[in-house]
Amino acid sequence: MPVPYGGGGDDGVDGGNGDALVVLRGVDKHFGTLHVLRSIDLTVRRGEVVVVIGPSGSGKSTLCRAVNRLETVDAGEIVVDGRPLPAEGRALAALRADVGMVFQSFNLFAHRTVLDNVTLGQIKVRRKSRAEAERRARELLDRVGVAEQADKYPAQLSGGQQQRVAIARALAMDPKVMLFDEPTSALDPEMINEVLEVMRQLARDGMTMVVVTHEMGFARSAANRVVFMADGRIVEEAAPDEFFGNPRSERARDFLSKILKH
């Protein structure tokens, strides 16, 4: 397994799960009468890339958003690096700094330059000096291939460039784990691969990642494990070759037969 990238420390207790970094136990979530997560048990180990796939409405994005408490859960427990998810306040803010999140809609600050977008959290949350934050920001913008866009505003960039800036902004916090919630679904087809390639490189560098995506090629090439969800449950999980070559459940076989035809 590759060496973990970034700020993932090794001091958390993991409750006997080996090198567990994110653990969900018996997690349930309702939106009104809709039961969107049903008794979810999932462990993500340090340096592992877990790709979550499944039909629309299966609970994938809710699962992803629950890990840094953008969605509260009704029951169960979520532990990140040995610490239960805090309910609110400073402890929650500190946890969110350790859990990077990349959304489908980029969520960049429109009135700030690309460089400012990537330095702001470092200064406000990580308490870095502006010079140190800018140095790190430029290094990361170069790493994701948009160094020359540093002084532009998000609206001046393509969707693919904006998403790469969003990845750099999340990485700038030195997160222990990165969550990607359908990061390419708002992009034009020709821009999808430039974002996936940045993510593949992060995977090669050992970043712990949970990726919700419809991109089966990425799941095949970058995942250590594929988690298939349907109707709010984890139906099966397996290594990519095993999952795509020989899915165990009828639900997964049906899903793959529909999407792999296109």
Side-chain angles (χ1 to χ4, degrees):
M1 189 171 287
V3 177
Y5 169 85
D10 290 309
D11 51 356
V13 230
D14 58 31
N17 279 314
D19 210 11
L21 185 56
V22 179
V23 181
L24 290 82
R25 299 186 189 100
V27 170
D28 269 84
K29 169 72 179 176
H30 294 78
F31 288 124
T33 57
L34 192 62
H35 199 168
V36 287
L37 295 178
R38 300 169 181 259
S39 302
I40 297 292
D41 292 312
L42 180 66
T43 296
V44 180
R45 290 177 174 79
R46 216 176 291 277
E48 187 178 25
V49 178
V50 173
V51 174
V52 184
I53 64 172
S56 295
S58 58
K60 307 182 301 292
S61 288
T62 305
L63 171 70
C64 192
R65 292 167 66 85
V67 174
N68 70 349
R69 220 171 190 280
L70 287 173
E71 298 288 358
T72 57
V73 299
D74 302 328
E77 182 182 36
I78 301 176
V79 175
V80 177
D81 204 12
R83 297 174 183 88
L85 217 55
E88 56 192 19
R90 287 184 180 176
L92 181 59
L95 173 116
R96 284 188 174 147
D98 284 343
V99 180
M101 183 98 190
V102 177
F103 304 89
Q104 54 182 300
S105 53
F106 324 137
N107 287 17
L108 297 173
F109 297 116
H111 61 294
R112 292 184 177 270
T113 66
V114 163
L115 188 66
D116 283 346
N117 265 278
V118 184
T119 55
L120 196 62
Q122 297 182 71
I123 295 166
K124 300 272 190 197
V125 180
R126 294 297 193 205
R127 303 293 180 205
K128 290 184 179 179
S129 69
R130 179 166 293 281
E132 188 185 0
E134 287 195 2
R135 186 167 60 250
R136 177 73 172 141
R138 290 186 188 280
E139 176 189 306
L140 287 167
L141 290 170
D142 183 53
R143 184 176 176 185
V144 300
V146 289
E148 70 286 355
Q149 312 296 339
D151 298 323
K152 292 184 179 175
Y153 288 87
Q156 297 173 280
L157 273 55
S158 71
Q161 289 171 328
Q162 289 186 61
Q163 193 60 295
R164 285 183 282 159
V165 172
I167 293 171
R169 179 178 63 178
L171 289 173
M173 304 302 285
D174 290 324
K176 294 174 179 177
V177 57
M178 287 276 284
L179 309 175
F180 293 85
D181 185 11
E182 303 199 10
T184 59
S185 64
L187 299 178
D188 292 334
E190 69 271 19
M191 294 174 189
I192 288 173
N193 212 48
E194 64 190 48
V195 172
L196 291 179
E197 189 45 49
V198 169
M199 293 167 62
R200 285 190 190 98
Q201 188 57 56
L202 286 179
R204 287 192 286 267
D205 291 347
M207 171 59 81
T208 309
M209 295 161 64
V210 177
V211 183
V212 173
T213 186
H214 294 289
E215 297 296 328
M216 296 302 128
F218 177 82
R220 283 179 186 270
S221 65
N224 297 104
R225 188 157 38 115
V226 175
V227 171
F228 174 71
M229 291 186 70
D231 307 314
R233 299 183 191 278
I234 293 177
V235 177
E236 64 179 282
E237 47 186 302
D241 287 352
E242 188 184 335
F243 177 78
F244 288 105
N246 188 25
R248 295 188 302 274
S249 65
E250 185 59 44
R251 194 77 179 77
R253 285 194 292 272
D254 181 56
F255 174 76
L256 289 173
S257 74
K258 287 173 179 162
I259 59 159
L260 297 180
K261 281 176 184 169
H262 300 295

